[in-house]
Amino acid sequence: QVQLVESGGGLVQAGDSLRLSCAASGLTSDSYGMGWLRQPPGKDREVVAAISRSGDGTYYADSVKGRFTISRDNTKNTVYLQMNSLKPEDTAIYYCAAGQTEYNMVPTTARDFGSWGQGTQVTVSS
């Protein structure tokens, strides 16, 4: 059974940074593409960033390019999301997700992911 546990969310001011972590268990880390998705209040869930099984390929939503960085440490079964220059519009619940993908494929849509964490709240005040 795949389990994903997020940590690192919180309340910050605009311009601050946060680092989210996702600890995965019940899977072999390098067998899954991983991603971070978010769901702002009243909006649909969207893929913020994703990374291939190998770690060589990444995807970023246009709204976070240049500010967020996704990375993974397969030896620790952990995925990270470094978020810099945070904006109030980044406020959302952030979910870690895993999907069984081809080795170099980067999952880019919510339906590419079959396992989800419970989410961590990120709130950015202006």
Side-chain angles (χ1 to χ4, degrees):
Q1 181 179 358
V2 176
Q3 287 192 321
L4 304 171
V5 179
E6 304 96 338
S7 62
L11 171 63
V12 297
Q13 294 186 329
D16 285 351
S17 298
L18 277 177
R19 188 194 198 202
L20 304 183
S21 298
C22 172
S25 60
L27 57 80
T28 302
S29 182
D30 62 2
S31 297
Y32 284 75
M34 302 294 294
W36 289 94
L37 295 85
R38 69 186 180 188
Q39 186 163 20
K43 296 185 178 181
D44 293 333
R45 197 172 293 189
E46 62 174 349
V47 178
V48 174
I51 190 166
S52 63
R53 288 165 54 185
S54 66
D56 291 337
T58 56
Y59 163 84
Y60 296 96
D62 288 343
S63 58
V64 306
K65 281 181 181 176
R67 300 188 297 122
F68 290 12
T69 302
I70 188 171
S71 60
R72 66 189 299 164
D73 185 340
N74 287 341
T75 66
K76 297 181 179 179
N77 272 14
T78 302
V79 179
Y80 306 97
L81 185 67
Q82 178 67 42
M83 305 186 294
N84 298 330
S85 302
L86 282 161
K87 303 176 181 180
E89 51 264 44
D90 293 319
T91 295
I93 300 174
Y94 283 72
Y95 298 90
C96 176
Q100 291 182 292
T101 59
E102 296 298 320
Y103 190 64
N104 288 317
M105 173 189 168
V106 182
T108 59
T109 67
R111 61 177 177 268
D112 291 330
F113 300 97
S115 300
W116 301 78
Q118 291 191 328
T120 184
Q121 177 70 46
V122 172
T123 303
V124 184
S125 63
S126 57

